[in-house]
Protein backbone atom coordinates (compact mmCIF):
# COMPACT_ATOMS: atom_id res chain seq x y z
CA UNK A 1 0.00 0.00 0.00
CA UNK A 2 1.42 3.37 -1.02
CA UNK A 3 2.22 5.90 1.66
CA UNK A 4 0.15 9.05 1.83
CA UNK A 5 1.83 12.13 0.48
CA UNK A 6 2.67 15.23 2.45
CA UNK A 7 -0.39 17.12 3.64
CA UNK A 8 -1.22 20.31 1.77
CA UNK A 9 -0.26 23.38 3.78
CA UNK A 10 -3.16 25.55 4.86
CA UNK A 11 -3.39 29.26 4.16
CA UNK A 12 -4.32 31.78 1.48
CA UNK A 13 -3.04 31.05 -2.00
CA UNK A 14 -2.45 32.91 -5.24
CA UNK A 15 -4.53 31.98 -8.34
CA UNK A 16 -1.52 29.92 -9.46
CA UNK A 17 -1.85 27.77 -6.35
CA UNK A 18 1.29 29.06 -4.65
CA UNK A 19 0.96 29.73 -0.96
CA UNK A 20 0.83 33.40 0.01
CA UNK A 21 3.60 34.34 2.41
CA UNK A 22 2.34 35.61 5.75
CA UNK A 23 3.25 39.28 6.34
CA UNK A 24 6.26 39.85 8.55
CA UNK A 25 4.88 41.71 11.55
CA UNK A 26 8.22 41.80 13.33
CA UNK A 27 9.15 40.40 16.72
CA UNK A 28 6.83 40.98 19.70
CA UNK A 29 9.41 43.36 21.15
CA UNK A 30 9.51 45.42 17.94
CA UNK A 31 5.71 45.58 17.76
CA UNK A 32 5.54 46.67 21.39
CA UNK A 33 8.19 49.32 20.79
CA UNK A 34 6.17 50.69 17.88
CA UNK A 35 3.01 50.72 20.00
CA UNK A 36 4.92 52.60 22.69
CA UNK A 37 6.10 55.12 20.10
CA UNK A 38 2.54 55.75 18.92
CA UNK A 39 1.09 56.06 22.41
CA UNK A 40 -1.04 52.92 22.03
CA UNK A 41 0.61 50.73 24.66
CA UNK A 42 -1.68 50.13 27.64
CA UNK A 43 -0.49 49.93 31.24
CA UNK A 44 -1.34 46.20 31.36
CA UNK A 45 0.71 45.55 28.22
CA UNK A 46 3.59 47.57 29.66
CA UNK A 47 3.56 45.46 32.83
CA UNK A 48 3.55 42.21 30.86
CA UNK A 49 6.43 43.44 28.73
CA UNK A 50 8.41 44.56 31.78
CA UNK A 51 7.93 41.11 33.33
CA UNK A 52 9.38 39.38 30.27
CA UNK A 53 6.06 38.36 28.68
CA UNK A 54 6.48 40.25 25.41
CA UNK A 55 4.66 37.66 23.32
CA UNK A 56 1.57 37.78 25.53
CA UNK A 57 1.68 41.57 25.70
CA UNK A 58 1.81 41.86 21.90
CA UNK A 59 -1.18 39.59 21.27
CA UNK A 60 -3.86 42.26 21.64
CA UNK A 61 -2.03 45.24 20.19
CA UNK A 62 -4.15 47.66 18.23
CA UNK A 63 -3.91 47.22 14.46
CA UNK A 64 -3.17 50.95 14.32
CA UNK A 65 0.19 50.30 15.96
CA UNK A 66 1.41 48.90 12.64
CA UNK A 67 1.41 52.46 11.33
CA UNK A 68 4.33 53.15 13.66
CA UNK A 69 6.90 52.14 11.06
CA UNK A 70 7.65 55.79 10.30
CA UNK A 71 7.20 59.23 11.82
CA UNK A 72 4.27 60.35 9.68
CA UNK A 73 2.46 57.12 10.54
CA UNK A 74 3.00 57.69 14.27
CA UNK A 75 1.70 61.24 13.93
CA UNK A 76 -1.41 59.90 12.20
CA UNK A 77 -2.08 57.28 14.88
CA UNK A 78 -1.64 59.92 17.58
CA UNK A 79 -4.32 62.05 15.90
CA UNK A 80 -2.03 64.93 14.97
CA UNK A 81 -2.75 64.97 11.21
CA UNK A 82 -5.91 67.05 11.39
CA UNK A 83 -6.84 69.28 8.47
CA UNK A 84 -10.19 70.80 7.43
CA UNK A 85 -9.95 69.67 3.80
CA UNK A 86 -7.79 66.53 3.91
CA UNK A 87 -8.11 63.26 5.80
CA UNK A 88 -5.32 61.83 7.89
CA UNK A 89 -4.95 58.95 5.43
CA UNK A 90 -4.44 61.41 2.58
CA UNK A 91 -1.73 63.23 4.51
CA UNK A 92 0.05 59.98 5.40
CA UNK A 93 -0.02 58.85 1.78
CA UNK A 94 1.36 62.22 0.65
CA UNK A 95 4.20 62.02 3.18
CA UNK A 96 5.16 58.47 2.26
CA UNK A 97 5.06 59.22 -1.44
CA UNK A 98 7.40 62.16 -0.84
CA UNK A 99 9.77 59.82 1.02
CA UNK A 100 9.73 57.33 -1.85
CA UNK A 101 10.33 59.96 -4.51
CA UNK A 102 13.13 61.63 -2.53
CA UNK A 103 15.12 58.52 -1.70
CA UNK A 104 14.53 56.90 -5.08
CA UNK A 105 16.10 60.00 -6.60
CA UNK A 106 18.92 60.69 -4.15
CA UNK A 107 19.99 57.39 -2.67
CA UNK A 108 20.34 53.65 -3.10
CA UNK A 109 18.18 52.18 -0.34
CA UNK A 110 19.64 48.69 -0.67
CA UNK A 111 22.46 49.48 1.74
CA UNK A 112 20.35 51.17 4.44
CA UNK A 113 19.32 49.64 7.74
CA UNK A 114 15.63 50.42 7.34
CA UNK A 115 12.51 48.86 8.80
CA UNK A 116 10.86 45.80 7.25
CA UNK A 117 8.12 48.06 5.89
CA UNK A 118 10.54 50.00 3.71
CA UNK A 119 12.54 46.88 2.82
CA UNK A 120 9.28 45.53 1.40
CA UNK A 121 8.88 48.68 -0.68
CA UNK A 122 12.39 48.25 -2.04
CA UNK A 123 12.01 44.55 -2.83
CA UNK A 124 8.63 45.19 -4.42
CA UNK A 125 10.06 47.80 -6.75
CA UNK A 126 8.30 50.82 -5.23
CA UNK A 127 11.72 52.25 -4.35
CA UNK A 128 14.95 51.16 -5.95
CA UNK A 129 18.48 52.38 -6.47
CA UNK A 130 20.89 52.23 -9.35
CA UNK A 131 21.59 54.45 -12.31
CA UNK A 132 19.83 52.47 -15.05
CA UNK A 133 16.99 54.22 -16.86
CA UNK A 134 13.65 52.56 -17.56
CA UNK A 135 11.85 54.46 -20.30
CA UNK A 136 12.38 57.82 -18.65
CA UNK A 137 11.27 56.60 -15.23
CA UNK A 138 13.96 58.50 -13.37
CA UNK A 139 13.10 61.73 -15.17
CA UNK A 140 9.46 61.28 -14.11
CA UNK A 141 10.54 60.66 -10.52
CA UNK A 142 12.69 63.79 -10.54
CA UNK A 143 9.88 65.85 -12.02
CA UNK A 144 7.35 64.61 -9.44
CA UNK A 145 9.78 65.23 -6.59
CA UNK A 146 10.72 68.73 -7.73
CA UNK A 147 7.04 69.64 -8.12
CA UNK A 148 6.33 68.69 -4.50
CA UNK A 149 9.44 70.38 -3.13
CA UNK A 150 8.54 73.56 -4.99
CA UNK A 151 5.05 73.47 -3.48
CA UNK A 152 6.56 73.12 -0.02
CA UNK A 153 8.94 76.02 -0.66
CA UNK A 154 5.96 78.20 -1.55
CA UNK A 155 4.50 77.39 1.88
CA UNK A 156 7.58 78.82 3.60
CA UNK A 157 10.80 77.67 5.24
CA UNK A 158 9.11 76.46 8.44
CA UNK A 159 6.75 74.24 6.47
CA UNK A 160 9.54 72.78 4.31
CA UNK A 161 11.67 72.00 7.38
CA UNK A 162 8.77 70.42 9.28
CA UNK A 163 7.78 68.13 6.39
CA UNK A 164 11.42 67.19 5.82
CA UNK A 165 11.80 66.24 9.47
CA UNK A 166 8.56 64.25 9.56
CA UNK A 167 8.62 62.55 6.17
CA UNK A 168 12.06 62.61 4.52
CA UNK A 169 14.50 62.20 7.41
CA UNK A 170 14.86 58.57 8.43
CA UNK A 171 12.89 58.24 11.67
CA UNK A 172 11.59 54.71 11.21
CA UNK A 173 10.87 53.42 14.71
CA UNK A 174 11.37 56.57 16.82
CA UNK A 175 11.78 60.31 16.41
CA UNK A 176 12.00 63.06 15.47
CA UNK A 177 12.41 64.33 19.02
CA UNK A 178 9.69 66.99 18.68
CA UNK A 179 7.15 64.35 17.63
CA UNK A 180 8.16 62.07 20.50
CA UNK A 181 7.59 64.96 22.90
CA UNK A 182 4.12 65.58 21.49
CA UNK A 183 3.16 61.91 21.74
CA UNK A 184 4.43 61.77 25.32
CA UNK A 185 2.43 64.88 26.20
CA UNK A 186 -0.71 63.40 24.72
CA UNK A 187 -0.42 59.95 26.31
CA UNK A 188 0.73 60.95 29.78
CA UNK A 189 -0.43 64.55 29.99
CA UNK A 190 -3.96 63.96 28.75
CA UNK A 191 -4.30 60.89 30.98
CA UNK A 192 -3.27 62.99 33.97
CA UNK A 193 -5.78 65.71 33.10
CA UNK A 194 -8.59 63.18 32.73
CA UNK A 195 -7.70 61.51 36.01
CA UNK A 196 -7.70 64.83 37.83
CA UNK A 197 -10.91 66.11 36.21
CA UNK A 198 -12.91 63.16 34.85
CA UNK A 199 -16.01 65.28 34.26
CA UNK A 200 -14.19 67.63 31.90
CA UNK A 201 -14.06 66.70 28.21
CA UNK A 202 -10.35 67.15 27.48
CA UNK A 203 -9.51 67.26 23.76
CA UNK A 204 -6.40 67.23 21.61
CA UNK A 205 -5.12 69.51 20.14
CA UNK A 206 -7.28 72.13 21.86
CA UNK A 207 -5.85 71.27 25.29
CA UNK A 208 -2.35 70.35 24.10
CA UNK A 209 -0.57 72.97 26.17
CA UNK A 210 -2.47 72.06 29.34
CA UNK A 211 -1.27 68.50 28.77
CA UNK A 212 2.34 69.68 28.68
CA UNK A 213 3.05 70.03 24.96
CA UNK A 214 5.76 72.58 24.20
CA UNK A 215 5.02 75.40 21.80
CA UNK A 216 7.92 74.66 19.43
CA UNK A 217 6.90 71.02 18.92
CA UNK A 218 3.25 71.96 18.52
CA UNK A 219 4.12 74.55 15.88
CA UNK A 220 6.36 72.09 14.04
CA UNK A 221 3.45 69.67 13.77
CA UNK A 222 1.15 72.47 12.61
CA UNK A 223 3.57 73.43 9.85
CA UNK A 224 3.98 69.79 8.78
CA UNK A 225 0.23 69.42 8.37
CA UNK A 226 0.10 72.56 6.22
CA UNK A 227 2.83 71.19 3.98
CA UNK A 228 1.33 67.71 3.66
CA UNK A 229 -2.04 69.18 2.75
CA UNK A 230 -0.36 71.23 0.02
CA UNK A 231 1.16 68.17 -1.66
CA UNK A 232 -1.69 65.73 -0.98
Amino acid sequence: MARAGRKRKSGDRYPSGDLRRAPDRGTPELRLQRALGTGLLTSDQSKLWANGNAMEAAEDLSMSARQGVDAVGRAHVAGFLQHPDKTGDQLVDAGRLLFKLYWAHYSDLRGMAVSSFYRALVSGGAIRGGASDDGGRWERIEEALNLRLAMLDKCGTDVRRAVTSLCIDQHFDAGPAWLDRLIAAKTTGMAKLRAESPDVEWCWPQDAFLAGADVASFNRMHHAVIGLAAIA
Side-chain angles (χ1 to χ4, degrees):
M1 181 176 178
R3 294 177 60 186
R6 188 172 60 179
K7 290 184 178 180
R8 180 181 174 88
K9 293 182 179 180
S10 61
D12 293 336
R13 293 181 178 272
Y14 294 103
S16 64
D18 294 336
L19 192 66
R20 291 180 183 271
R21 179 180 294 181
D24 180 10
R25 299 174 58 195
T27 65
E29 290 79 5
L30 177 58
R31 286 151 52 200
L32 289 167
Q33 185 64 45
R34 286 176 178 167
L36 177 64
T38 54
L40 295 177
L41 198 66
T42 66
S43 58
D44 290 339
Q45 290 167 336
S46 296
K47 291 176 183 177
L48 286 172
W49 189 13
N51 292 329
N53 298 319
M55 186 170 294
E56 183 179 353
E59 285 180 356
D60 297 323
L61 282 177
S62 168
M63 293 291 289
S64 299
R66 297 186 185 182
Q67 289 279 359
V69 296
D70 56 5
V72 70
R74 289 191 294 280
H76 182 30
V77 172
F80 299 155
L81 301 186
Q82 299 184 26
H83 190 273
D85 299 321
K86 303 290 183 180
T87 66
D89 288 341
Q90 288 176 312
L91 300 185
V92 168
D93 290 344
R96 287 177 174 165
L97 177 57
L98 179 64
F99 174 93
K100 290 190 289 185
L101 291 171
Y102 184 92
W103 289 108
H105 181 65
Y106 284 112
S107 182
D108 182 351
L109 283 183
R110 290 173 298 181
M112 292 184 181
V114 297
S115 69
S116 58
F117 175 82
Y118 284 104
R119 275 200 225 83
L121 291 178
V122 176
S123 63
I127 311 174
R128 61 178 180 174
S132 61
D133 188 86
D134 181 12
R137 179 175 183 268
W138 299 113
E139 285 78 4
R140 293 194 298 272
I141 287 176
E142 183 178 20
E143 181 180 358
L145 173 62
N146 287 338
L147 174 64
R148 285 161 175 79
L149 294 180
M151 294 170 71
L152 291 175
D153 285 337
K154 287 182 179 179
C155 294
T157 302
D158 290 338
V159 169
R160 170 72 182 262
R161 287 176 177 172
V163 173
T164 297
S165 178
L166 187 68
C167 303
I168 294 179
D169 294 346
Q170 297 167 32
H171 300 292
F172 296 115
D173 294 315
W178 59 267
L179 176 62
D180 292 342
R181 288 194 295 270
L182 282 181
I183 292 174
K186 182 179 181 182
T187 54
T188 61
M190 295 300 287
K192 184 173 182 289
L193 290 176
R194 287 167 180 151
E196 293 174 348
S197 304
D199 297 331
V200 177
E201 187 175 349
W202 300 102
C203 299
W204 188 279
Q206 291 88 339
D207 299 308
F209 300 124
L210 292 175
D214 64 281
V215 176
S217 298
F218 187 88
N219 288 341
R220 186 72 67 90
M221 189 73 255
H222 175 68
H223 289 134
V225 169
I226 292 174
L228 288 175
I231 63 175

